[in-house]
Amino acid sequence: MIYKELIQEFENDPQEKISDFILIDFRPVIETFISTAREWLDKYANVLKVRGEKELKVIEDKIDEYRTEIQKNPAEIESLKNLLNEITKIKNQTMDMEFAISEVTEIFRILKMYDPHNKARFEDAFALEEKWKQLLLEAKVKDEKLIQTKKFFAKDTKDRVDLFRSKVDAFYERFKATGPGS
């Protein structure tokens, strides 16, 4: 940020200057400028911190929500469908999440660079990318573990379809034999 550089420059400049026979004292101007620049730096840091922490919370909540959803074990076909939908959602959200994580990480990088004593959640922000990668890995592992469950539900669904087909065929034969117009 330019304010930090200007503060350093003004602190290093001489505070008095002799011009011909006049001594000019710049101290009040320099002190006012430095004070104002520090105030602006604090305001920028505060805005970045509030925005960064808000976005950090949103991303962390989303990751936690996804993690909770993929840890469920399906007992029926609907819960399997919901779990597979969550896994697909996670995979489809990858690019959006990576952009959001990159933005949050950049906000906290800037905060740390210009205000390292700030009480922001630096570690949490810098760990987001790893948390997302871990969630993706968990989703892929869960998808692989579900192969047998998918096969079981596929066979069960096929059996139900076959049973339904036989009932419809039987009904059709009865309808042809005893229905109207027979």
Side-chain angles (χ1 to χ4, degrees):
M1 290 183 149
I2 196 163
Y3 291 109
K4 192 170 186 176
E5 294 167 5
L6 286 173
I7 289 171
Q8 290 173 347
E9 186 179 320
F10 273 88
E11 286 176 337
N12 294 334
D13 280 350
Q15 295 186 355
E16 295 177 342
K17 185 174 182 177
I18 298 176
S19 179
D20 292 328
F21 59 92
I22 299 176
L23 175 67
I24 304 172
D25 184 10
F26 291 109
R27 230 175 289 137
V29 173
I30 291 173
E31 288 171 0
T32 302
F33 175 79
I34 289 173
S35 170
T36 304
R38 285 196 175 122
E39 186 179 315
W40 274 98
L41 273 174
D42 290 342
K43 286 180 181 181
Y44 281 138
N46 191 38
V47 168
L48 282 175
K49 181 181 175 187
V50 168
R51 180 175 171 221
E53 287 182 349
K54 178 182 171 191
E55 291 179 22
L56 174 65
K57 174 113 175 71
V58 168
I59 293 171
E60 285 179 329
D61 289 348
K62 190 174 271 194
I63 289 173
D64 291 342
E65 177 187 327
Y66 283 145
R67 181 165 282 121
T68 302
E69 289 298 318
I70 66 170
Q71 289 176 345
K72 294 179 181 176
N73 291 315
E76 66 233 12
I77 191 111
E78 284 305 313
S79 58
L80 176 66
K81 287 179 186 177
N82 290 338
L83 180 57
L84 292 174
N85 284 337
E86 285 300 316
I87 291 171
T88 302
K89 252 199 270 186
I90 291 169
K91 289 177 182 177
N92 290 341
Q93 283 280 318
T94 299
M95 190 182 326
D96 293 337
M97 286 299 282
E98 286 176 355
F99 281 135
I101 289 169
S102 174
E103 187 174 327
V104 168
T105 304
E106 183 63 14
I107 287 171
F108 280 92
R109 186 192 68 76
I110 291 169
L111 263 177
K112 189 171 187 173
M113 187 168 54
Y114 288 102
D115 192 6
H117 305 295
N118 198 320
K119 299 280 190 243
R121 298 173 48 201
F122 296 121
E123 294 83 22
D124 294 339
F126 298 138
L128 274 180
E129 186 176 353
E130 189 57 40
K131 283 182 182 179
W132 180 253
K133 286 179 181 178
Q134 184 64 35
L135 177 68
L136 277 173
L137 180 63
E138 289 174 24
K140 289 175 184 177
V141 167
K142 185 70 166 192
D143 197 27
E144 288 296 317
K145 285 182 178 180
L146 288 173
I147 289 176
Q148 291 301 322
T149 308
K150 290 182 212 176
K151 287 179 181 177
F152 170 75
F153 281 122
K155 184 184 179 316
D156 184 50
T157 302
K158 184 183 179 303
D159 293 344
R160 288 182 185 191
V161 167
D162 290 343
L163 179 65
F164 179 71
R165 183 181 303 142
S166 66
K167 286 181 181 180
V168 168
D169 289 344
F171 178 76
Y172 178 69
E173 291 303 322
R174 249 185 317 137
F175 182 76
K176 275 187 2 184
T178 61
S182 54

